[in-house]
Amino acid sequence: EYVTYFQDDYVDDLGWEWESTTSGRASVLLPPPPLPGSGPSELPKSIIHFVGGTVFGSYPQKFYSDLLMPLAEQTSSVVVATNIPVTLNRNPLNHLALSKRIVSSFREAFFDILCDEYGGADALKNVPIVGVGHSLGARLQVVINTNERLYSYALPRAGNVLIGFNNYGAVQSVPGVRTLRKGAADREKYVNDMNRRKYNGERYDDEFDFNNDDYDDDDDDAYLDEVKDFFGLVGQSMKSALTPSDLREGNLEFKPSPDDVWSDVSNGVYGKRIERNLVVQFDRDRICQGARLSRCL
């Protein structure tokens, strides 16, 4: 019910409407169709690739319509909004995997919807593509353009608009990760203690079977309660995506790490590929790092 509610397409009174890709991973905001007999659709002045923040970026046509609709209308652009899944099948902190999915979703929207609407890729070759990201989406736009494989796979960008950029670690950015990390550390300490006792021939009671996918939920329930209070049903999905293996191996940091991202930006890797950037910082956003990003650029 949660997913179905937010997947309905939104149509506004002026004729602009969202068209979803076959996979449902991206939505394209298109202008009203031309009047009969007036010829083909006029080319947009730009193609805006939008990626939103955590949770809200999962349904951008709902949560970001007040931003994207006037942006498209006032700039005579089309918007491709790629959805951020609430979770991935694997560790949801892996932003390389998430960025790859986002790039694939954008390519699907470009070739299946925009090329069909405007007469093929050749007709759009001179239309600039501008990335726009908010919060997590701003970080992902940077990751896409600093990772060599992602950059070569993504369509070339004329520039990026980075709103509320956040490159803090997972503990500071994601509710409940601190609790999960503590639980993982406690489990590691327990395993090391049990191995020491076995080596010394001591008897012990094994509370956990670490070869089983079932695991003790006490610490994770604290995490789930924390996330559910804030995001309701989303918390259940986020918890299920972090597997027992992730918890045992300590995979509780973003990939790439914050240090890796800052290094790529400071060393000019990002700036050489995306020379035009608009960084937007909110005065009351405590986790926005736009000022530091601007200094690095």
Side-chain angles (χ1 to χ4, degrees), residues 23-63:
S23 68
R25 293 180 175 180
S27 299
V28 181
L29 181 58
L30 294 169
L35 297 174
S38 62
S41 299
E42 183 179 348
L43 288 177
K45 291 185 178 179
S46 68
I47 299 169
I48 297 171
H49 177 202
F50 178 78
V51 185
T54 305
V55 177
F56 300 108
S58 301
Y59 308 100
Q61 65 268 45
K62 294 292 183 180
F63 291 119

Side-chain angles (χ1 to χ4, degrees), residues 19-20 28 30 34 40-41 43-44 47 107-124:
E19 182 176 343
S20 296
V28 181
L30 294 169
S41 299
L43 288 177
I47 299 169
R107 290 175 61 91
E108 179 189 11
F110 181 87
F111 290 108
D112 291 357
I113 295 180
L114 294 182
C115 288
D116 178 67
E117 181 75 17
Y118 295 105
D122 285 343
L124 293 169

Side-chain angles (χ1 to χ4, degrees), residues 128-242:
I129 299 173
V130 179
V132 178
H134 169 239
S135 191
L136 170 61
R139 184 183 204 267
L140 296 177
Q141 295 282 16
V142 172
V143 170
I144 289 170
N145 291 285
T146 54
N147 180 271
E148 184 66 37
R149 296 182 65 182
L150 289 172
Y151 176 72
S152 62
Y153 184 47
L155 299 176
R157 305 298 173 86
N160 275 337
V161 179
L162 306 173
I163 307 170
F165 177 81
N166 167 20
N167 189 42
Y168 284 110
V171 169
Q172 294 89 350
S173 303
V174 182
V177 169
R178 188 186 303 274
T179 304
L180 283 175
R181 176 169 288 179
K182 179 181 181 300
D186 290 345
R187 287 187 179 87
E188 182 179 7
K189 180 180 178 182
Y190 177 85
V191 171
N192 291 337
D193 186 51
M194 292 304 100
N195 288 337
R196 178 185 59 78
R197 292 186 183 187
K198 290 175 70 174
Y199 180 79
N200 293 331
E202 301 177 31
R203 296 187 60 185
Y204 64 94
D205 295 323
D206 190 0
E207 300 177 29
F208 303 104
D209 178 5
F210 286 96
N211 294 318
N212 195 316
D213 280 344
D214 295 328
Y215 59 98
D216 188 271
D217 259 352
D218 290 342
D219 287 326
D220 300 339
D221 284 341
Y223 155 75
L224 181 58
D225 290 339
E226 185 177 349
V227 176
K228 282 180 68 178
D229 288 341
F230 190 61
F231 288 132
L233 294 176
V234 177
Q236 298 176 9
S237 300
M238 291 188 68
K239 182 188 177 185
S240 65
L242 287 170

Side-chain angles (χ1 to χ4, degrees), residues 165-169 258-263 265-266 279 281 287-297:
F165 177 81
N166 167 20
N167 189 42
Y168 284 110
D259 288 343
D260 290 338
V261 172
W262 285 128
S263 176
V265 174
S266 300
V279 179
Q281 176 170 325
I287 62 172
C288 178
Q289 295 179 294
R292 179 176 177 181
L293 177 63
S294 296
R295 291 193 297 271
C296 290
L297 291 174

